[in-house]
Amino acid sequence: MLQPRLTEVIALDGFQLQLTYETGEVRLFDVLPYIKGQWFGELQDESYFKTVYLLQGGTGIAWRNGQDIAPHELYEQSILR
């Protein structure tokens, strides 16, 4: 499934991401299940978690050390807000 492009990402308390798509949909994605192991474990630091940013063109999200979550997963595993 092709998902719409992201227009905004906001890191919320509780390791949640608020995702806004070009369609106007606002969705909530829970990052907590991903925060394990050496690679994603860095996201446990809430100040680092909140540095999430939108990739150019709205194709996804990432953190400065390279962690990212697949765009289709963000869309399919998130819930409408």
Side-chain angles (χ1 to χ4, degrees):
M1 171 187 170
L2 287 177
Q3 66 282 336
R5 292 190 184 274
L6 285 158
T7 59
E8 183 179 45
V9 58
I10 299 172
L12 305 173
D13 291 338
F15 302 101
Q16 305 283 311
L17 296 176
Q18 179 177 292
L19 306 167
T20 304
Y21 288 88
E22 64 187 349
T23 58
E25 284 179 274
V26 177
R27 302 182 69 88
L28 192 62
F29 184 84
D30 183 8
V31 181
L32 198 55
Y34 296 80
I35 301 178
K36 359 181 162 158
Q38 189 173 4
W39 181 245
F40 282 107
E42 191 172 12
L43 298 178
Q44 292 176 20
D45 176 344
E46 231 176 309
S47 61
Y48 179 69
F49 174 76
K50 291 189 176 192
T51 66
V52 65
Y53 63 91
L54 198 60
L55 294 176
Q56 186 174 7
T59 57
I61 56 107
W63 286 266
R64 69 177 176 257
N65 290 339
Q67 298 94 339
D68 63 359
I69 299 171
H72 68 87
E73 198 161 349
L74 289 171
Y75 191 79
E76 293 169 7
Q77 301 299 320
S78 60
I79 57 170
L80 277 172
R81 212 155 174 204

